[in-house]
Amino acid sequence: MNGSMYQPVPLSFERLEEEEMNARGRALLDRLARRRSVRDFAPDPVPRELIEIAVAAANTAPSGANRQPWHFVAVSDPDITAEIRTAAEAEEREFYEGGRAAEAWLEALAPLGTGWQKPFLETAPWLVAVFKQIFARAEDGTKGTNYYVNESVGIACGLFIAAVNEMGLATLTHTPQPMRFLSQILGRPDNERPFILFPVGYPHPDCQVPDITKKDLSAVSSWFEK
Ligand SMILES: Cc1cc2nc3c(=O)[nH]c(=O)nc-3n(C[C@H](O)[C@H](O)[C@H](O)COP(=O)(O)O)c2cc1C
């Protein structure tokens, strides 16, 4: 390691009482467990500041070599959201009805009741498109390497979802395939690829969601204790 480049500062960290740790953890878990993917939004506006908070939360994420290989594009302009919906529906129609999706994939999606129509892309007051930076591009145009891009951007998106949920808003992890149209509509550079498209807003008062459950802790974890 190049010692001269490593100039650490003391960690800022508050050690909590065990009771408080437990209470905080349980409170967060309780709210996370209530999160659902929402596909039916109310048109009510959401202040830009709340979206900024969610993006700022995402931007705290750990990332390979601290490269932060992500870019968030927040859109409330109705001309642009209409354009995104039209393009997304064209791709999704191919997926659901044009033979692009394998039969097994469509079967896996059947309990979710999803289809090619995506009215929420215009109803939700915000669309937040997340791009991953497959390589870095400095202002002078030189290329740099990013590390663990998918893991890093995935973690950032998880924090974004958690923040949205924590603030009392809802979102959907939407991945219309392929998503290249987002790069074009939003004018993103050649080092970026669309990763996830998040509509964000309040759920419609009549919103319904698939009746699904989560696996038990015992099914998703193994323990080797001392
Ligand atoms: C990477 C990823 C991609 C997804 N893509 C879509 C999508 O394109 N359309 C959709 O309606 N739901 C999509 N989902 C949402 C899942 O269907 C949803 O998370 C899952 O059914 C569990 O429901 P819950 O989020 O309410 O717990 C996606 C989720 C993830 C994590």
Side-chain angles (χ1 to χ4, degrees):
M1 192 201 312
N2 184 341
S4 65
M5 290 189 68
Y6 179 57
Q7 295 185 338
V9 293
L11 172 71
S12 167
F13 182 88
E14 184 194 359
R15 191 156 170 166
L16 305 173
E17 294 297 327
E18 220 173 284
E19 205 174 312
E20 189 179 356
M21 293 163 76
N22 196 292
R24 280 199 198 193
R26 297 256 162 229
L28 178 64
L29 173 59
D30 185 56
R31 287 192 294 271
L32 288 175
R34 285 163 201 262
R35 181 207 58 79
R36 291 303 312 271
S37 287
V38 161
R39 301 175 180 84
D40 186 9
F41 288 85
D44 313 28
V46 166
R48 170 185 162 136
E49 193 182 348
L50 298 185
I51 305 301
E52 284 179 351
I53 291 170
V55 174
N59 195 41
T60 66
S63 62
N66 198 30
R67 288 286 204 264
Q68 297 175 269
W70 47 68
H71 188 85
F72 290 74
V73 183
V75 183
S76 63
D77 179 330
D79 292 338
I80 303 177
T81 56
E83 212 181 325
I84 289 174
R85 176 185 176 181
T86 303
E89 286 188 334
E91 298 294 0
E92 293 281 274
R93 201 170 185 154
E94 270 301 301
F95 178 88
Y96 281 96
E97 291 179 358
R100 194 183 276 164
E103 209 43 52
W105 195 344
L106 291 177
E107 272 170 35
L109 289 172
L112 302 179
T114 52
W116 65 266
Q117 284 111 328
K118 307 292 172 190
F120 57 77
L121 292 175
E122 282 190 274
T123 326
W126 288 96
L127 296 182
V128 178
V130 185
F131 291 82
K132 64 176 180 183
Q133 297 178 329
I134 54 172
F135 59 91
R137 174 81 81 193
E139 267 172 31
D140 66 3
T142 45
K143 273 185 171 187
T145 308
N146 285 337
Y147 305 98
Y148 295 109
V149 170
N150 288 317
E151 294 85 346
S152 303
V153 184
I155 292 168
C157 287
L159 294 184
F160 178 85
I161 294 168
V164 164
N165 186 62
E166 196 70 8
M167 289 187 287
L169 292 166
T171 188
L172 168 69
T173 308
H174 189 33
T175 48
Q177 289 301 342
M179 285 194 281
R180 280 188 291 274
F181 64 88
L182 284 175
S183 305
Q184 196 220 329
I185 294 173
L186 301 173
R188 299 313 305 161
D190 69 343
N191 64 323
E192 293 186 4
R193 298 287 179 277
F195 194 71
I196 289 173
L197 177 60
F198 290 112
V200 183
Y202 299 98
H204 189 279
D206 301 326
C207 176
Q208 297 202 312
V209 291
D211 185 12
I212 54 168
T213 54
K214 300 292 176 184
K215 291 175 186 169
D216 264 11
L217 205 55
S218 61
V220 298
S221 63
S222 308
W223 306 70
F224 296 89
E225 295 180 86
K226 76 167 177 182

